[in-house]
Amino acid sequence: MTKLSLGAHPYMLGFEQLERLLERSAKSGNEGYPPFNIEQTSANSYRITLAVAGFGEDDLSVAVEDRQLVIRGRQSDDTEERIFLHRGIAARQFQRSFVLADGVEVGTAVMENGLLHVDLTRAEPETVVQTIRIEKGSKS
């Protein structure tokens, strides 16, 4: 049995870009750090929350790149001045990427108690009905 891809399915026309987005998302290298939640806050809005304890606002960046929400964290290295007897809190950099559907816009990003909240909204799509005129073919 042949496995059909989304872009090759006979009833799914023009979805090749969606298939590429899914492949890119799977290969984005997102590990388990930092942990995050995604919640639906209303019918057309979402909130992504990342646990970024130890990071300050200046250590984080939030950007939209090629229809992806990209959140990066990089802490400054001040460990040369400090002597650790035990170091259990990782100070590593990270990058988290989330593919955004058409019509999803990034709103605000807020730091609160070691959590970074990023709010997203989705525009309500219009229902469009288009009637196509059928023309008579020419006789040869």
Side-chain angles (χ1 to χ4, degrees), residues 110-125:
V110 178
M111 279 285 286
E112 179 182 49
N113 300 322
L115 300 174
L116 174 65
H117 303 288
V118 181
D119 292 319
L120 310 165
T121 56
R122 180 182 62 200
E124 189 70 36

Side-chain angles (χ1 to χ4, degrees), residues 30-125:
N30 281 338
E31 298 172 5
Y33 179 78
F36 66 95
N37 292 336
I38 300 175
E39 59 186 301
Q40 186 167 3
T41 53
S42 76
N44 292 312
S45 63
Y46 309 93
R47 174 173 268 189
I48 298 173
T49 301
L50 283 83
V52 291
F55 288 85
E57 288 91 347
D58 295 337
D59 299 327
L60 300 167
S61 70
V62 179
V64 176
E65 302 171 4
D66 192 25
R67 297 306 306 157
Q68 285 192 95
L69 171 63
V70 180
I71 303 170
R72 294 182 179 95
R74 181 180 194 115
Q75 291 177 318
S76 57
D77 188 17
D78 62 353
T79 58
E80 294 176 11
E81 306 163 2
R82 300 162 72 183
I83 300 171
F84 289 94
L85 300 179
H86 170 76
R87 185 161 187 179
I89 301 172
R92 59 181 169 165
Q93 61 185 16
F94 70 87
Q95 176 175 315
R96 277 266 181 214
S97 300
F98 302 90
V99 177
L100 301 175
D102 288 338
V104 173
E105 299 294 327
V106 178
T108 59
V110 178
M111 279 285 286
E112 179 182 49
N113 300 322
L115 300 174
L116 174 65
H117 303 288
V118 181
D119 292 319
L120 310 165
T121 56
R122 180 182 62 200
E124 189 70 36

